[in-house]
mmCIF file of all heavy atoms in Angstrom:
data_model
loop_
_atom_site.group_PDB
_atom_site.id
_atom_site.type_symbol
_atom_site.label_atom_id
_atom_site.label_comp_id
_atom_site.label_asym_id
_atom_site.label_seq_id
_atom_site.Cartn_x
_atom_site.Cartn_y
_atom_site.Cartn_z
ATOM 1 N N SER A 319 -4.472 -2.809 8.726
ATOM 2 C CA SER A 319 -4.452 -2.352 7.327
ATOM 3 C C SER A 319 -3.086 -2.522 6.647
ATOM 4 O O SER A 319 -2.849 -1.968 5.592
ATOM 5 C CB SER A 319 -4.866 -0.867 7.213
ATOM 6 O OG SER A 319 -6.161 -0.678 7.738
ATOM 7 N N LYS A 320 -2.184 -3.318 7.253
ATOM 8 C CA LYS A 320 -0.884 -3.587 6.651
ATOM 9 C C LYS A 320 -0.823 -5.057 6.242
ATOM 10 O O LYS A 320 -0.282 -5.912 6.948
ATOM 11 C CB LYS A 320 0.264 -3.248 7.622
ATOM 12 C CG LYS A 320 0.248 -1.816 8.125
ATOM 13 C CD LYS A 320 0.461 -0.816 6.997
ATOM 14 C CE LYS A 320 0.524 0.605 7.530
ATOM 15 N NZ LYS A 320 0.684 1.614 6.471
ATOM 16 N N THR A 321 -1.384 -5.346 5.087
ATOM 17 C CA THR A 321 -1.545 -6.747 4.637
ATOM 18 C C THR A 321 -0.208 -7.458 4.501
ATOM 19 O O THR A 321 -0.056 -8.617 4.922
ATOM 20 C CB THR A 321 -2.304 -6.777 3.306
ATOM 21 O OG1 THR A 321 -3.561 -6.130 3.462
ATOM 22 C CG2 THR A 321 -2.506 -8.199 2.852
ATOM 23 N N ASN A 322 0.780 -6.808 3.890
ATOM 24 C CA ASN A 322 2.069 -7.461 3.641
ATOM 25 C C ASN A 322 2.783 -7.774 4.954
ATOM 26 O O ASN A 322 3.413 -8.832 5.102
ATOM 27 C CB ASN A 322 2.955 -6.598 2.741
ATOM 28 C CG ASN A 322 4.052 -7.388 2.087
ATOM 29 O OD1 ASN A 322 3.881 -8.573 1.813
ATOM 30 N ND2 ASN A 322 5.166 -6.748 1.824
ATOM 31 N N PHE A 323 2.684 -6.889 5.913
ATOM 32 C CA PHE A 323 3.256 -7.168 7.234
ATOM 33 C C PHE A 323 2.565 -8.356 7.862
ATOM 34 O O PHE A 323 3.205 -9.298 8.373
ATOM 35 C CB PHE A 323 3.089 -5.931 8.134
ATOM 36 C CG PHE A 323 3.619 -6.127 9.531
ATOM 37 C CD1 PHE A 323 4.935 -5.819 9.837
ATOM 38 C CD2 PHE A 323 2.806 -6.616 10.559
ATOM 39 C CE1 PHE A 323 5.435 -6.011 11.131
ATOM 40 C CE2 PHE A 323 3.290 -6.807 11.844
ATOM 41 C CZ PHE A 323 4.613 -6.497 12.131
ATOM 42 N N ASN A 324 1.247 -8.384 7.799
ATOM 43 C CA ASN A 324 0.489 -9.462 8.420
ATOM 44 C C ASN A 324 0.799 -10.812 7.757
ATOM 45 O O ASN A 324 0.884 -11.850 8.443
ATOM 46 C CB ASN A 324 -1.008 -9.165 8.353
ATOM 47 C CG ASN A 324 -1.362 -7.865 9.057
ATOM 48 O OD1 ASN A 324 -0.625 -7.399 9.927
ATOM 49 N ND2 ASN A 324 -2.501 -7.278 8.702
ATOM 50 N N ASP A 325 0.968 -10.799 6.417
ATOM 51 C CA ASP A 325 1.238 -12.054 5.722
ATOM 52 C C ASP A 325 2.616 -12.626 6.074
ATOM 53 O O ASP A 325 2.806 -13.853 6.136
ATOM 54 C CB ASP A 325 1.141 -11.859 4.205
ATOM 55 C CG ASP A 325 -0.284 -11.591 3.748
ATOM 56 O OD1 ASP A 325 -1.218 -11.860 4.525
ATOM 57 O OD2 ASP A 325 -0.452 -11.080 2.618
ATOM 58 N N ASN A 326 3.595 -11.746 6.269
ATOM 59 C CA ASN A 326 4.967 -12.188 6.494
ATOM 60 C C ASN A 326 5.279 -12.454 7.962
ATOM 61 O O ASN A 326 6.287 -13.101 8.276
ATOM 62 C CB ASN A 326 5.953 -11.160 5.955
ATOM 63 C CG ASN A 326 6.130 -11.231 4.457
ATOM 64 O OD1 ASN A 326 6.845 -12.086 3.943
ATOM 65 N ND2 ASN A 326 5.457 -10.332 3.733
ATOM 66 N N LEU A 327 4.447 -11.955 8.890
ATOM 67 C CA LEU A 327 4.731 -12.102 10.320
ATOM 68 C C LEU A 327 3.773 -13.083 11.001
ATOM 69 O O LEU A 327 3.432 -12.939 12.172
ATOM 70 C CB LEU A 327 4.681 -10.742 11.009
ATOM 71 C CG LEU A 327 5.951 -9.890 11.026
ATOM 72 C CD1 LEU A 327 7.043 -10.561 11.831
ATOM 73 C CD2 LEU A 327 6.430 -9.586 9.650
ATOM 74 N N ALA A 328 3.354 -14.143 10.257
ATOM 75 C CA ALA A 328 2.494 -15.184 10.848
ATOM 76 C C ALA A 328 3.315 -16.442 11.119
ATOM 77 O O ALA A 328 4.207 -16.797 10.339
ATOM 78 C CB ALA A 328 1.343 -15.490 9.904
ATOM 79 N N PHE A 329 3.041 -17.103 12.258
ATOM 80 C CA PHE A 329 3.695 -18.361 12.629
ATOM 81 C C PHE A 329 2.767 -19.512 12.234
ATOM 82 O O PHE A 329 1.698 -19.307 11.643
ATOM 83 C CB PHE A 329 4.008 -18.388 14.123
ATOM 84 C CG PHE A 329 4.962 -17.308 14.569
ATOM 85 C CD1 PHE A 329 4.507 -16.033 14.917
ATOM 86 C CD2 PHE A 329 6.327 -17.551 14.645
ATOM 87 C CE1 PHE A 329 5.376 -15.056 15.309
ATOM 88 C CE2 PHE A 329 7.205 -16.558 15.057
ATOM 89 C CZ PHE A 329 6.741 -15.308 15.398
ATOM 90 N N ALA A 330 3.151 -20.748 12.600
ATOM 91 C CA ALA A 330 2.288 -21.904 12.329
ATOM 92 C C ALA A 330 0.994 -21.771 13.131
ATOM 93 O O ALA A 330 0.974 -21.156 14.211
ATOM 94 C CB ALA A 330 3.008 -23.190 12.712
ATOM 95 N N SER A 331 -0.080 -22.350 12.625
ATOM 96 C CA SER A 331 -1.370 -22.201 13.283
ATOM 97 C C SER A 331 -1.374 -22.806 14.677
ATOM 98 O O SER A 331 -2.047 -22.306 15.572
ATOM 99 C CB SER A 331 -2.477 -22.828 12.423
ATOM 100 O OG SER A 331 -2.196 -24.210 12.213
ATOM 101 N N THR A 332 -0.599 -23.911 14.852
ATOM 102 C CA THR A 332 -0.498 -24.530 16.189
ATOM 103 C C THR A 332 0.961 -24.887 16.446
ATOM 104 O O THR A 332 1.616 -25.502 15.590
ATOM 105 C CB THR A 332 -1.353 -25.797 16.298
ATOM 106 O OG1 THR A 332 -2.720 -25.456 16.045
ATOM 107 C CG2 THR A 332 -1.215 -26.428 17.670
ATOM 108 N N ILE A 333 1.449 -24.439 17.600
ATOM 109 C CA ILE A 333 2.844 -24.735 17.964
ATOM 110 C C ILE A 333 2.784 -25.592 19.228
ATOM 111 O O ILE A 333 2.273 -25.164 20.281
ATOM 112 C CB ILE A 333 3.640 -23.459 18.251
ATOM 113 C CG1 ILE A 333 3.557 -22.493 17.051
ATOM 114 C CG2 ILE A 333 5.101 -23.769 18.550
ATOM 115 C CD1 ILE A 333 4.184 -21.133 17.314
ATOM 116 N N ALA A 334 3.302 -26.843 19.101
ATOM 117 C CA ALA A 334 3.280 -27.764 20.248
ATOM 118 C C ALA A 334 4.283 -27.317 21.295
ATOM 119 O O ALA A 334 5.220 -26.552 21.010
ATOM 120 C CB ALA A 334 3.587 -29.187 19.785
ATOM 121 N N ASN A 335 4.117 -27.768 22.500
ATOM 122 C CA ASN A 335 5.018 -27.413 23.576
ATOM 123 C C ASN A 335 6.439 -27.861 23.235
ATOM 124 O O ASN A 335 6.680 -28.999 22.823
ATOM 125 C CB ASN A 335 4.569 -28.069 24.884
ATOM 126 C CG ASN A 335 5.450 -27.649 26.053
ATOM 127 O OD1 ASN A 335 5.816 -26.486 26.167
ATOM 128 N ND2 ASN A 335 5.797 -28.601 26.913
ATOM 129 N N GLY A 336 7.401 -26.898 23.315
ATOM 130 C CA GLY A 336 8.801 -27.198 23.012
ATOM 131 C C GLY A 336 9.123 -27.071 21.535
ATOM 132 O O GLY A 336 10.313 -27.122 21.169
ATOM 133 N N ALA A 337 8.123 -26.901 20.691
ATOM 134 C CA ALA A 337 8.371 -26.792 19.249
ATOM 135 C C ALA A 337 8.763 -25.356 18.890
ATOM 136 O O ALA A 337 8.508 -24.408 19.628
ATOM 137 C CB ALA A 337 7.131 -27.202 18.472
ATOM 138 N N VAL A 338 9.370 -25.208 17.710
ATOM 139 C CA VAL A 338 9.835 -23.905 17.208
ATOM 140 C C VAL A 338 9.119 -23.605 15.889
ATOM 141 O O VAL A 338 9.026 -24.495 15.022
ATOM 142 C CB VAL A 338 11.357 -23.887 16.992
ATOM 143 C CG1 VAL A 338 11.797 -22.532 16.431
ATOM 144 C CG2 VAL A 338 12.089 -24.175 18.303
ATOM 145 N N ALA A 339 8.602 -22.401 15.736
ATOM 146 C CA ALA A 339 7.968 -21.952 14.487
ATOM 147 C C ALA A 339 8.596 -20.608 14.094
ATOM 148 O O ALA A 339 9.029 -19.841 14.957
ATOM 149 C CB ALA A 339 6.459 -21.808 14.663
ATOM 150 N N THR A 340 8.633 -20.342 12.790
ATOM 151 C CA THR A 340 9.255 -19.097 12.303
ATOM 152 C C THR A 340 8.290 -18.333 11.395
ATOM 153 O O THR A 340 7.375 -18.908 10.800
ATOM 154 C CB THR A 340 10.551 -19.384 11.521
ATOM 155 O OG1 THR A 340 10.229 -20.173 10.383
ATOM 156 C CG2 THR A 340 11.567 -20.091 12.403
ATOM 157 N N THR A 341 8.569 -17.011 11.313
ATOM 158 C CA THR A 341 7.875 -16.173 10.337
ATOM 159 C C THR A 341 8.556 -16.340 8.988
ATOM 160 O O THR A 341 9.540 -17.076 8.850
ATOM 161 C CB THR A 341 7.943 -14.700 10.741
ATOM 162 O OG1 THR A 341 9.317 -14.281 10.752
ATOM 163 C CG2 THR A 341 7.362 -14.481 12.123
ATOM 164 N N ASN A 342 8.032 -15.618 7.964
ATOM 165 C CA ASN A 342 8.776 -15.520 6.694
ATOM 166 C C ASN A 342 10.092 -14.783 6.962
ATOM 167 O O ASN A 342 10.255 -14.099 7.978
ATOM 168 C CB ASN A 342 7.966 -14.756 5.666
ATOM 169 C CG ASN A 342 6.860 -15.584 5.071
ATOM 170 O OD1 ASN A 342 6.762 -16.782 5.318
ATOM 171 N ND2 ASN A 342 6.005 -14.934 4.288
ATOM 172 N N GLU A 343 11.004 -14.937 6.035
ATOM 173 C CA GLU A 343 12.270 -14.213 6.146
ATOM 174 C C GLU A 343 11.995 -12.711 5.968
ATOM 175 O O GLU A 343 11.269 -12.299 5.063
ATOM 176 C CB GLU A 343 13.250 -14.695 5.074
ATOM 177 C CG GLU A 343 13.621 -16.156 5.225
ATOM 178 C CD GLU A 343 14.491 -16.636 4.087
ATOM 179 O OE1 GLU A 343 14.854 -15.806 3.214
ATOM 180 O OE2 GLU A 343 14.822 -17.842 4.044
ATOM 181 N N LEU A 344 12.611 -11.905 6.800
ATOM 182 C CA LEU A 344 12.495 -10.450 6.707
ATOM 183 C C LEU A 344 13.747 -9.903 6.028
ATOM 184 O O LEU A 344 14.850 -10.413 6.216
ATOM 185 C CB LEU A 344 12.324 -9.832 8.077
ATOM 186 C CG LEU A 344 11.088 -10.296 8.863
ATOM 187 C CD1 LEU A 344 11.021 -9.615 10.208
ATOM 188 C CD2 LEU A 344 9.816 -10.047 8.061
ATOM 189 N N ARG A 345 13.541 -8.857 5.211
ATOM 190 C CA ARG A 345 14.637 -8.292 4.437
ATOM 191 C C ARG A 345 14.860 -6.843 4.865
ATOM 192 O O ARG A 345 13.942 -6.130 5.252
ATOM 193 C CB ARG A 345 14.328 -8.289 2.942
ATOM 194 C CG ARG A 345 13.675 -9.567 2.412
ATOM 195 C CD ARG A 345 14.643 -10.685 2.286
ATOM 196 N NE ARG A 345 14.088 -11.761 1.468
ATOM 197 C CZ ARG A 345 14.348 -13.032 1.649
ATOM 198 N NH1 ARG A 345 15.174 -13.411 2.625
ATOM 199 N NH2 ARG A 345 13.840 -13.955 0.853
ATOM 200 N N ALA A 346 16.116 -6.418 4.679
ATOM 201 C CA ALA A 346 16.494 -5.020 4.902
ATOM 202 C C ALA A 346 17.302 -4.546 3.700
ATOM 203 O O ALA A 346 17.752 -5.344 2.880
ATOM 204 C CB ALA A 346 17.300 -4.873 6.189
ATOM 205 N N TYR A 347 17.478 -3.226 3.579
ATOM 206 C CA TYR A 347 18.214 -2.671 2.445
ATOM 207 C C TYR A 347 19.667 -3.143 2.483
ATOM 208 O O TYR A 347 20.323 -3.135 3.539
ATOM 209 C CB TYR A 347 18.189 -1.139 2.467
ATOM 210 C CG TYR A 347 16.821 -0.544 2.197
ATOM 211 C CD1 TYR A 347 16.329 0.481 2.969
ATOM 212 C CD2 TYR A 347 16.044 -1.031 1.155
ATOM 213 C CE1 TYR A 347 15.068 1.040 2.717
ATOM 214 C CE2 TYR A 347 14.805 -0.484 0.884
ATOM 215 C CZ TYR A 347 14.317 0.535 1.670
ATOM 216 O OH TYR A 347 13.090 1.073 1.413
ATOM 217 N N ALA A 348 20.145 -3.539 1.312
ATOM 218 C CA ALA A 348 21.545 -3.956 1.191
ATOM 219 C C ALA A 348 22.456 -2.742 1.168
ATOM 220 O O ALA A 348 22.031 -1.625 0.862
ATOM 221 C CB ALA A 348 21.726 -4.783 -0.070
ATOM 222 N N ASP A 349 23.748 -2.958 1.446
ATOM 223 C CA ASP A 349 24.744 -1.909 1.300
ATOM 224 C C ASP A 349 25.948 -2.459 0.541
ATOM 225 O O ASP A 349 25.961 -3.623 0.131
ATOM 226 C CB ASP A 349 25.140 -1.302 2.640
ATOM 227 C CG ASP A 349 25.738 -2.322 3.607
ATOM 228 O OD1 ASP A 349 26.391 -3.286 3.128
ATOM 229 O OD2 ASP A 349 25.585 -2.160 4.827
ATOM 230 N N GLU A 350 26.978 -1.645 0.368
ATOM 231 C CA GLU A 350 28.113 -2.029 -0.449
ATOM 232 C C GLU A 350 28.901 -3.196 0.127
ATOM 233 O O GLU A 350 29.621 -3.902 -0.598
ATOM 234 C CB GLU A 350 29.043 -0.812 -0.625
ATOM 235 C CG GLU A 350 28.412 0.325 -1.407
ATOM 236 C CD GLU A 350 29.344 1.516 -1.539
ATOM 237 O OE1 GLU A 350 30.462 1.439 -0.994
ATOM 238 O OE2 GLU A 350 28.962 2.499 -2.191
ATOM 239 N N ASN A 351 28.774 -3.431 1.430
ATOM 240 C CA ASN A 351 29.545 -4.512 2.064
ATOM 241 C C ASN A 351 28.845 -5.855 2.024
ATOM 242 O O ASN A 351 29.430 -6.886 2.396
ATOM 243 C CB ASN A 351 29.847 -4.145 3.523
ATOM 244 C CG ASN A 351 30.715 -2.911 3.608
ATOM 245 O OD1 ASN A 351 31.658 -2.749 2.845
ATOM 246 N ND2 ASN A 351 30.387 -2.008 4.550
ATOM 247 N N ASP A 352 27.580 -5.878 1.606
ATOM 248 C CA ASP A 352 26.833 -7.135 1.565
ATOM 249 C C ASP A 352 27.324 -7.986 0.396
ATOM 250 O O ASP A 352 27.626 -7.466 -0.698
ATOM 251 C CB ASP A 352 25.341 -6.865 1.422
ATOM 252 C CG ASP A 352 24.744 -6.353 2.719
ATOM 253 O OD1 ASP A 352 25.048 -6.925 3.773
ATOM 254 O OD2 ASP A 352 23.958 -5.375 2.668
ATOM 255 N N LEU A 353 27.397 -9.311 0.628
ATOM 256 C CA LEU A 353 27.842 -10.241 -0.409
ATOM 257 C C LEU A 353 26.763 -10.395 -1.466
ATOM 258 O O LEU A 353 25.568 -10.518 -1.142
ATOM 259 C CB LEU A 353 28.189 -11.597 0.207
ATOM 260 C CG LEU A 353 29.345 -11.598 1.230
ATOM 261 C CD1 LEU A 353 29.511 -12.991 1.837
ATOM 262 C CD2 LEU A 353 30.636 -11.117 0.591
ATOM 263 N N LEU A 354 27.184 -10.422 -2.711
ATOM 264 C CA LEU A 354 26.244 -10.577 -3.810
ATOM 265 C C LEU A 354 25.456 -11.865 -3.695
ATOM 266 O O LEU A 354 24.278 -11.926 -4.077
ATOM 267 C CB LEU A 354 27.020 -10.534 -5.151
ATOM 268 C CG LEU A 354 26.198 -10.632 -6.421
ATOM 269 C CD1 LEU A 354 25.198 -9.486 -6.517
ATOM 270 C CD2 LEU A 354 27.122 -10.626 -7.648
ATOM 271 N N ILE A 355 26.069 -12.878 -3.127
ATOM 272 C CA ILE A 355 25.407 -14.182 -3.000
ATOM 273 C C ILE A 355 24.209 -14.121 -2.044
ATOM 274 O O ILE A 355 23.317 -14.962 -2.085
ATOM 275 C CB ILE A 355 26.441 -15.245 -2.548
ATOM 276 C CG1 ILE A 355 25.871 -16.648 -2.753
ATOM 277 C CG2 ILE A 355 26.862 -15.009 -1.096
ATOM 278 C CD1 ILE A 355 26.898 -17.741 -2.494
ATOM 279 N N ASN A 356 24.193 -13.120 -1.177
ATOM 280 C CA ASN A 356 23.120 -12.999 -0.176
ATOM 281 C C ASN A 356 22.068 -11.958 -0.557
ATOM 282 O O ASN A 356 21.189 -11.655 0.239
ATOM 283 C CB ASN A 356 23.723 -12.598 1.179
ATOM 284 C CG ASN A 356 24.629 -13.662 1.746
ATOM 285 O OD1 ASN A 356 24.430 -14.866 1.484
ATOM 286 N ND2 ASN A 356 25.649 -13.245 2.499
ATOM 287 N N VAL A 357 22.131 -11.413 -1.750
ATOM 288 C CA VAL A 357 21.280 -10.285 -2.128
ATOM 289 C C VAL A 357 19.999 -10.760 -2.804
ATOM 290 O O VAL A 357 20.007 -11.734 -3.572
ATOM 291 C CB VAL A 357 22.066 -9.317 -3.053
ATOM 292 C CG1 VAL A 357 21.136 -8.270 -3.644
ATOM 293 C CG2 VAL A 357 23.191 -8.656 -2.280
ATOM 294 N N TYR A 358 18.892 -10.022 -2.537
ATOM 295 C CA TYR A 358 17.589 -10.269 -3.153
ATOM 296 C C TYR A 358 17.164 -8.994 -3.897
ATOM 297 O O TYR A 358 17.650 -7.897 -3.634
ATOM 298 C CB TYR A 358 16.541 -10.620 -2.083
ATOM 299 C CG TYR A 358 16.915 -11.774 -1.207
ATOM 300 C CD1 TYR A 358 17.654 -11.563 -0.034
ATOM 301 C CD2 TYR A 358 16.528 -13.071 -1.531
ATOM 302 C CE1 TYR A 358 17.998 -12.626 0.787
ATOM 303 C CE2 TYR A 358 16.874 -14.144 -0.709
ATOM 304 C CZ TYR A 358 17.604 -13.903 0.462
ATOM 305 O OH TYR A 358 17.944 -14.952 1.267
ATOM 306 N N ASP A 359 16.176 -9.149 -4.838
ATOM 307 C CA ASP A 359 15.649 -7.961 -5.516
ATOM 308 C C ASP A 359 14.676 -7.220 -4.619
ATOM 309 O O ASP A 359 14.425 -7.636 -3.466
ATOM 310 C CB ASP A 359 15.046 -8.322 -6.872
ATOM 311 C CG ASP A 359 13.765 -9.138 -6.763
ATOM 312 O OD1 ASP A 359 13.223 -9.254 -5.633
ATOM 313 O OD2 ASP A 359 13.300 -9.658 -7.781
ATOM 314 N N GLU A 360 14.041 -6.180 -5.130
ATOM 315 C CA GLU A 360 13.186 -5.326 -4.303
ATOM 316 C C GLU A 360 11.937 -6.034 -3.825
ATOM 317 O O GLU A 360 11.295 -5.586 -2.869
ATOM 318 C CB GLU A 360 12.808 -4.057 -5.081
ATOM 319 C CG GLU A 360 11.958 -4.294 -6.310
ATOM 320 C CD GLU A 360 11.577 -2.993 -7.004
ATOM 321 O OE1 GLU A 360 11.791 -1.927 -6.397
ATOM 322 O OE2 GLU A 360 11.068 -3.060 -8.138
ATOM 323 N N ASP A 361 11.575 -7.167 -4.461
ATOM 324 C CA ASP A 361 10.422 -7.944 -4.021
ATOM 325 C C ASP A 361 10.815 -9.073 -3.098
ATOM 326 O O ASP A 361 9.951 -9.880 -2.705
ATOM 327 C CB ASP A 361 9.678 -8.503 -5.231
ATOM 328 C CG ASP A 361 9.027 -7.420 -6.062
ATOM 329 O OD1 ASP A 361 8.589 -6.423 -5.461
ATOM 330 O OD2 ASP A 361 8.967 -7.561 -7.304
ATOM 331 N N GLY A 362 12.132 -9.133 -2.788
ATOM 332 C CA GLY A 362 12.588 -10.200 -1.901
ATOM 333 C C GLY A 362 12.917 -11.491 -2.612
ATOM 334 O O GLY A 362 13.081 -12.528 -1.976
ATOM 335 N N THR A 363 13.029 -11.439 -3.924
ATOM 336 C CA THR A 363 13.333 -12.655 -4.726
ATOM 337 C C THR A 363 14.842 -12.801 -4.895
ATOM 338 O O THR A 363 15.557 -11.817 -5.195
ATOM 339 C CB THR A 363 12.659 -12.563 -6.100
ATOM 340 O OG1 THR A 363 11.250 -12.374 -5.908
ATOM 341 C CG2 THR A 363 12.898 -13.843 -6.894
ATOM 342 N N TYR A 364 15.319 -14.040 -4.734
ATOM 343 C CA TYR A 364 16.754 -14.322 -4.870
ATOM 344 C C TYR A 364 17.180 -14.073 -6.310
ATOM 345 O O TYR A 364 16.428 -14.315 -7.261
ATOM 346 C CB TYR A 364 17.024 -15.775 -4.466
ATOM 347 C CG TYR A 364 18.480 -16.139 -4.380
ATOM 348 C CD1 TYR A 364 19.325 -15.449 -3.506
ATOM 349 C CD2 TYR A 364 19.019 -17.151 -5.147
ATOM 350 C CE1 TYR A 364 20.670 -15.790 -3.424
ATOM 351 C CE2 TYR A 364 20.366 -17.499 -5.062
ATOM 352 C CZ TYR A 364 21.198 -16.804 -4.200
ATOM 353 O OH TYR A 364 22.531 -17.128 -4.132
ATOM 354 N N LEU A 365 18.445 -13.585 -6.507
ATOM 355 C CA LEU A 365 18.918 -13.243 -7.849
ATOM 356 C C LEU A 365 19.235 -14.465 -8.708
ATOM 357 O O LEU A 365 19.437 -14.330 -9.917
ATOM 358 C CB LEU A 365 20.175 -12.354 -7.735
ATOM 359 C CG LEU A 365 19.972 -11.012 -7.010
ATOM 360 C CD1 LEU A 365 21.265 -10.219 -7.016
ATOM 361 C CD2 LEU A 365 18.853 -10.213 -7.635
ATOM 362 N N ASP A 366 19.328 -15.602 -8.100
ATOM 363 C CA ASP A 366 19.476 -16.880 -8.828
ATOM 364 C C ASP A 366 20.781 -16.948 -9.632
ATOM 365 O O ASP A 366 20.842 -17.565 -10.703
ATOM 366 C CB ASP A 366 18.276 -17.106 -9.753
ATOM 367 C CG ASP A 366 18.184 -18.562 -10.221
ATOM 368 O OD1 ASP A 366 18.634 -19.457 -9.468
ATOM 369 O OD2 ASP A 366 17.698 -18.782 -11.344
#
Side-chain angles (χ1 to χ4, degrees):
S319 301
K320 303 296 183 182
T321 303
N322 200 30
F323 179 90
N324 300 338
D325 291 344
N326 281 281
L327 273 295
F329 298 86
S331 59
T332 301
I333 306 173
N335 184 41
V338 178
T340 62
T341 63
N342 283 353
E343 297 175 4
L344 301 180
R345 317 284 195 213
Y347 292 135
D349 60 31
E350 295 179 359
N351 297 318
D352 287 316
L353 298 176
L354 182 60
I355 194 172
N356 295 330
V357 171
Y358 305 88
D359 69 11
E360 65 178 348
D361 293 327
T363 303
Y364 188 59
L365 299 182
D366 196 30

